[in-house]
């Protein structure tokens, strides 16, 4: 099922990268950056590329998506539009040539991520990344002894993180009622059905704002005011992206349900 696939992808991503790196990748996708995944392992290249899609589910990626770019098509990496492309390490020299431009790189072999020729994320975005990363670490640690990956909880945190980024950039005061997730007690019986699976199920994905960090409609109003401006500041530039266009369309749909 799609839920199991999402759960498996999320588990793979958090096993291979720190939450800080993955949350940075979400911010890169929110800004429609070019994203390059590097690895010497072709099979894992595809897993990471699809894993990136799981981080923003149920939002879909509207840019180009090529899990493994053939060496004969390396010129496609020069495209200026948003993409997620998997690149074998043997082709890495192509992206390190002068004039290649800005991009976000995810190196599976080094278990790291980095922005290239891009200004550092604003302090408010870094604060959101740091606080959310700590929250994710606590949740994963809580469930680790039961050999469960808390897919549902991590998925909700990631959805709220997206709202949190917009709220932080637009300087919106967070909702106290949506600022945290309740701690769930795990069954003591290890034979319980819910503890047998290494991946827990995803629930309530239709309404992606059920754990909103701030009032979504207030964010939407500010989005409308900022999207007509073309400033270099991320507060303005993020409003021009395909990600934001889709995000706010879904926001209104979910509020109308």
């Amino acid at each position: 099922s799609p839920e199991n696939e999402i759960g498996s992808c999320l588990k793979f991503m958090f096993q291979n990268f720190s939450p800080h790196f993955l949350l940075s990748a979400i911010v890169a996708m929110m800004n429609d950056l070019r994203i390059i995944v590097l690895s010497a392992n072709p099979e894992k290249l595809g897993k990471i590329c699809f894993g990136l899609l799981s981080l923003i589910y149920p939002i879909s990626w509207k840019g180009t998506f090529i899990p493994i770019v053939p060496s004969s098509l390396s010129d496609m990496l020069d495209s200026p539009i948003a993409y997620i492309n998997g690149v074998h390490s043997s082709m890495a020299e192509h992206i390190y040539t002068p004039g290649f431009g800005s991009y976000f790189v995810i190196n599976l072999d080094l278990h790291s991520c980095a922005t290239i020729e891009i200004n550092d994320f604003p302090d408010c975005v870094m604060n959101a990344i740091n606080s959310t990363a700590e929250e994710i670490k606590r949740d994963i640690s809580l469930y680790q002894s039961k050999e469960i990956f808390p897919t549902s909880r991590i998925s909700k945190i990631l959805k709220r993180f997206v709202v949190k980024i917009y709220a932080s950039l637009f300087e919106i005061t967070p909702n106290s009622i949506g600022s945290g997730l309740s701690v769930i007690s795990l069954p003591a019986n290890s034979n319980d059905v819910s503890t047998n699976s290494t991946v827990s199920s995803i629930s309530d994905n239709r309404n992606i704002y059920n754990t909103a960090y701030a009032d979504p409609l207030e964010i939407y109003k500010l989005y409308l005011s900022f999207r007509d401006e073309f400033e270099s500041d991320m507060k303005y530039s993020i409003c021009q992206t395909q990600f934001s266009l889709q995000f706010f369309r879904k926001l209104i749909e979910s509020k109308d349900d």
Side-chain angles (χ1 to χ4, degrees):
S1 69
E3 288 78 11
N4 286 336
E5 289 295 326
I6 294 295
S8 296
C9 286
L10 286 176
K11 181 180 180 182
F12 179 77
M13 294 298 280
F14 282 96
Q15 285 177 334
N16 284 277
F17 296 97
S18 76
H20 287 83
F21 287 145
L22 296 182
L23 294 172
S24 297
I26 291 175
V27 175
M29 287 186 278
M30 292 175 69
N31 283 277
D32 284 356
L33 297 182
R34 298 191 299 171
I35 299 175
I36 294 174
V37 180
L38 278 176
S39 178
N41 187 320
E43 180 183 355
K44 289 186 177 180
L45 269 180
K47 283 187 176 181
I48 293 296
C49 288
F50 281 100
L52 288 172
L53 302 185
S54 73
L55 295 176
I56 60 172
Y57 179 83
I59 303 293
S60 58
W61 175 252
K62 295 300 183 182
T64 303
F65 181 77
I66 308 177
I68 303 178
V69 176
S71 58
S72 59
L73 299 178
S74 61
D75 287 347
M76 296 185 68
L77 297 172
D78 296 321
S79 171
I81 64 174
Y83 61 64
I84 294 176
N85 287 344
V87 177
H88 192 272
S89 299
S90 61
M91 297 166 56
E93 287 186 8
H94 184 90
I95 67 174
Y96 294 141
T97 55
F100 184 74
S102 60
Y103 60 97
F104 185 86
V105 62
I106 301 170
N107 192 318
L108 175 59
D109 301 334
L110 298 179
H111 302 282
S112 65
C113 305
T115 54
I116 307 298
E117 294 190 21
I118 299 174
N119 292 333
D120 292 339
F121 294 152
D123 289 343
C124 62
V125 170
M126 291 308 303
N127 290 337
I129 289 174
N130 292 334
S131 62
T132 304
E134 292 306 312
E135 185 179 1
I136 290 174
K137 288 178 182 178
R138 288 195 299 269
D139 270 32
I140 291 178
S141 176
L142 176 66
Y143 283 78
Q144 211 162 29
S145 62
K146 296 291 183 179
E147 298 184 351
I148 299 173
F149 182 79
T151 302
S152 178
R153 289 175 61 78
I154 298 302
S155 180
K156 288 179 180 179
I157 291 173
L158 295 179
K159 291 170 190 173
R160 194 173 76 248
F161 171 73
V162 172
V163 179
K164 192 174 185 178
I165 291 299
Y166 287 111
S168 299
L169 287 171
F170 300 164
E171 301 178 8
I172 295 176
T173 303
N175 281 338
S176 59
I177 59 172
S179 61
L181 290 173
S182 59
V183 176
I184 299 174
S185 298
L186 295 176
N189 183 3
S190 61
N191 294 322
D192 187 280
V193 174
S194 64
T195 64
N196 280 340
S197 172
T198 57
V199 179
S200 60
S201 63
I202 298 176
S203 62
D204 195 19
N205 272 316
R206 186 173 61 87
N207 182 356
I208 67 173
Y209 307 100
N210 58 329
T211 56
Y213 174 86
D215 181 359
L217 289 182
E218 185 178 355
I219 295 176
Y220 178 64
K221 291 175 184 176
L222 286 170
Y223 159 72
L224 292 177
S225 66
F226 288 129
R227 72 174 181 175
D228 293 328
E229 303 293 333
F230 290 88
E231 304 287 342
S232 59
D233 188 281
M234 187 185 288
K235 175 171 63 177
Y236 298 94
S237 62
I238 198 172
C239 292
Q240 320 302 328
T241 67
Q242 286 295 314
F243 183 102
S244 292
L245 182 65
Q246 183 184 179
F247 173 86
F248 286 104
R249 183 183 296 123
K250 285 184 175 292
L251 182 153
I252 296 304
E253 290 173 355
S254 71
K255 296 300 288 185
D256 289 341
D257 287 342

